[in-house]
Structure formats: C-alpha cells, structure tokens
Amino acid sequence: MGGATMMLGSKYRGENKVTKTTHFFVSFVCISSFLVYYFLFSPLRAGYYENQFSDGSGQYIQVIDFNKVSDFQLQPIPFSKNISRTDFNQWLKDQERVSFERMFDNICNEESSGKFDNCFPGVVFASPSKSKPDYFYHWIRDGAITINTLINTYSEVDKERTLKTVLNYVNASIDLQHRSNPSGPVDDPLLRNLGEPKYHVDNSPFEQVWGRPQNDGPPLRAIALLNFLNSMNVSSSSDANSDYQWIFDDLITLDLKFVLYNWHVSSFDLWEEVDAYHFFTSMVQLKALVDGRAFILKKLSSGIALTSAEDDLLKDLEAGIDKVESFIKSSSSGFINHEKGYIVETPSNLDQRSGLDIAVIMASTLTHDSEDENDGYFTNYDQFSFLSAAPGPSSSSFTSADKTDTPFLFDIDDPLILNHFNELVEKMAILYPINHNRLGTNMGVAVGRYPEDIYDGIGISEGNPWFISTLTSAELIFKLVHKMHITQEPLIIEPLKNKFWHKIFAFGNLQNTSVMIPYNSLAFNQTLYTIFKYGDSFLSKVNEHVSDQGHMSEQFNRYHGYNQGAENLTWSYGTFANALRWRQIVDNLIHPTNI
C-alpha cells in the first residue's frame, strides 16, 4: 500500500532458472498453487474488489457488491424502536398536516388580524408565545424562510391559499421597506433600514436594544420571492405571468441593492448573538445576487428587453457576485479552515468556540434547494451573444461572453460541509444525555445550534437540542442521496479527507485507501438506501420528542426531551416540511423497498 494506491490481486514472482527437464513440472506446480491460493484464500481476489480504477487524479479500489467484500462494508443503521403514533409513515403524514396548520396559524391574514393585536396581513409570527420567551414578532429571517417553505411545499396542495399568503407577505414587506427604524431612516442611501431584524406584528418598529443589524434578512426574502416569481414563470414572455413583475421592481430590487451596499459590513448572526462576519450570512447574500442575476438573464433569453434600470442592476450584480464569492473563498474571511477540515461559521470567535454551528449546514441546504442538478451560477452568456450587437440598454452587459456555468459554492456533498456536519453530530451525541441511547448505533441524534450554546429557550444555563437543527440534519442527508442519484457519477470515497463516510461505511483494513463505487451498481444502490435510513433516523429522533399533538417548540430538553422554549415555533414546522419534501423526492427516486 502506498498513498491512495493499492495493488490488488497480484504477486511479484522472481525468475528462477530450472533445467529443461523439470521446467513443465515446476511450472505446473507453481501455477496450480497460485490458483488455489487466489481462489480459496486471498481476500483480494477478483469478485471482492472488482479492479483498480483511476480517474486521472488518483487511484481507487472499485466496489460493486458488498456481499463479496470483506474489508469494506456498510455500517448498520438500525431503525428506531421507539416509534409511537401508530407507525413511522403514518406519523410523517400526521406531522405534515400539523406543521402546515401551525404555519398558517402563525401567519396573519385579514380574518385573524383583530385576534392577533391588529397584525398586518402577511407578517409571520415567529411564535405565538408572548412571555418566557416573547417571540410574538415578525423576524425578517424567519418570515422569509417560512414563505419560501410554503412556496416549495404547499403550492401543489392549495395554490390559491399559497398565492394569497405570498401576496399578503409581499405587501407587508414593501410596507416594512419604507419605514424608518433603529437601523436607519427610510431615506438612507445605503438602505440600512432594511437590516432591521424584527418588527411588531402590526409592522411598527421594535425600538428596544437588540442585536442589529442582521444582514441575512433581505437576501433571504429576495431568495424566497425570486423562487416565487420563477414558480410563476414571470421571466417568460407571457403577458399573464408578467402581472407579478412589480414584485421584482418594487421589492426584490431593493433587497438586492441592500446586499450590494452592505455585504462587506459586519452584522449579527442568525442567532442574534455575535456581531462579525458569518458564513451563513455571506452565503445567503451571494445566493440572492446569483438568483437575481439569473432572473434578469432568463428574461433576456425569453426575448424581453431590459429597462435601463435592469441593465444597470445586472452590471452591479455581476460585480457584487465576484466580490462576495471572492470574500467567502479568501483567507481574509477565515471561513475555510483547512487545519480543522471544515467550514467555520464565525471565524472571529474561534478563541471561544469550535466554529461548529448548524448555521453552516443551513447555509448549504438553503442555497442548494433545487431539484435541478444544473442549478448553479447562470453565467453562460454564449446563448445571449445575439444581444451584444443589438441597440438599446441591454447590450452593454454582454460584451464579454467567456464565462461558463459553475456550481454554487459549498454544495451539500462538499467535504468541508460533510466534515462540519460529522463533527457537529459527534459532539452533540455525547453532549446531550437524551442521545446516549443511540451512542454506537450510527443513528441520527438530537442536534442543537452549536456545542458551546448556553441559551435554554428562556434564559442562560445550558443549551438544548433544537427541532430546526435536527430536521436540517435530516434534510441535508436526503439532499445528499438526491445529489448522488441525479449526477449519475461514481461515488468516490476518501476516508482520510471526509470523515463523514465513517458513519456510513466500516472500512476495515482500508482506512487509508480511496474507494470508488460505480453508479447504479448494487453497492451504489445499497449505499443510497443506507444513507436514506440515516436521514430517517434523524426524523425518528424528532418523532420521539414532539408532543402527543405533534406540536414543536423551539427546543427540547437535553435531559428529559420534553418541549422547551418558545411554543409552536413557526421555523420548526417549516423545517419539518422541508425535510419531508426532500424525503419524498428521494423516496420516489430510489424506491428503497425495492433495493
């Protein structure tokens, strides 16, 4: 064995001089002995490891059938024995119904406004809880994530209700964009008022001391509403669909400009605790700019001429994307930490924390949320080259057509993301006593925000698992299965670089060896099913701790597992809907019962 290379099924045989009379006899004995050893005793014989494979960057052992392999096996991932509410699949259906009901209960509409403090139709309550803790506010971040969830998961269930909810949210958001608040006046040239994190439910500013600004809210809102416009085909040439173009012009454009003006400004993280630069914030900022550019370019591909304002915005988006992407990837941001082997959420506090944070996983899942395997940077301008010679304002953006499509940064299968996830889960498994019954089982566990957390949902003591963290873990795993399936490429496993795979495989004597599993081989499909079960084991952990009515608070206690903190947290229900959506997608793809 040398490096990542292992010569299999071969022996060096030196040349021995023999007399002519014994040549055939000795040859026969040697060959016969070799064949007996090869087929009866050698653990490396053909049929165990099919052959050695090289893709130009390294050499790998190829595994096609685990039943014929001794050293390299899938880890056993048992299913939870603690499944109540009849059965697991029935619970998924029941929990989906409860989650949608609770999400809609927590979104103000015309009928409920008088009941909930004259709330502004379209605002999203983080929680109905008004004391211990008081979460009865509209957080820009929570609201945007919730609306995006409904667009992705409920539109096919009730398109009319979803449309009405989204349009109410749009109107409420436009109202908020044109209000002064502690983050800035309404006429601020840098639009800093948009960085205000939360409002009263009637849209009036929250003027007490708070962690502000929080610069992830506007880009998350832009991501959600660009997703809505794409779902309505607004960038097509249809006059009927252009009825919603005003949402881009009146609302999304301001959010994109906010990102362009403020991406380089430090802000508080999504947990509202640390004023610094954060991976989550930078990633959603970049995603908003990329999606905004894609929307404009899609209009051009449909033959719709850009206005002068859109052409200027497109140029600014191009420049902004380059700057934000460069920052994320640069050593100055500190997000990429090769020494630790994973992404760091907030590099400035590494002297106090490990850098592990479910926010990193959320950054990856929120920015990679399409079923389209080609959902990356929309920068292939060759298809728009006909516009470069055309008169009008839309021609200047296409004088250089040498860019090509590139994937969006840090997809869910990136080793730096999976390593982060693995490290976080390993620590949480030990940190929370309610996980100790799963130690050594390779099953999913209850996951909190970050290991050093001391917020207990009401005050400061000990941190707990969160439903959104545990459900995001399931979502990541289901998306990994989806990515492996649709790319139709062999699975390359490098155990030294990516510790995540130790949760899935028992490497035996191959700890230092790279392995290649061909796409659609028996071993590949067995691997997909094992990873799928791993995702389900996170859902089964949630099943253990929801209330008898399917209610989910913000947290559940690390010792006894009962709900704790803000009751009926909207984000908890939305994250369940996201995880279930991706479970259903991959379930339909791989049909695990048939594997």
Side-chain angles (χ1 to χ4, degrees), residues 449-465:
R449 298 189 299 175
Y450 53 88
E452 303 81 8
D453 194 5
I454 57 174
Y455 175 57
D456 60 17
I458 301 174
I460 302 301
S461 62
E462 293 180 307
N464 296 302

Side-chain angles (χ1 to χ4, degrees), residues 107-110 113 118-123 167-169 171-172 201:
I107 301 174
C108 180
N109 56 50
E110 290 81 357
S113 178
N118 294 317
C119 59
F120 197 108
V123 304
L167 292 180
N168 279 343
Y169 170 77
N171 290 328
V201 298

Side-chain angles (χ1 to χ4, degrees), residues 127-143:
S127 161
S129 177
K130 294 184 177 182
S131 64
K132 296 183 179 181
D134 184 2
Y135 276 29
F136 192 60
Y137 297 95
H138 173 66
W139 266 270
I140 303 301
R141 170 180 45 258
D142 298 38

Side-chain angles (χ1 to χ4, degrees), residues 140-141 144 169 194 214-222 255 258 284:
I140 303 301
R141 170 180 45 258
Y169 170 77
L194 272 61
Q214 294 179 29
N215 291 346
D216 58 345
L220 285 167
R221 184 166 55 201
D255 283 340
F258 170 84
V284 297

Side-chain angles (χ1 to χ4, degrees), residues 569-585:
L569 191 77
T570 313
W571 198 351
S572 295
Y573 296 116
T575 313
F576 176 85
N578 288 332
L580 184 60
R581 171 199 172 204
W582 281 97
R583 184 188 189 275
Q584 292 169 340
I585 290 171

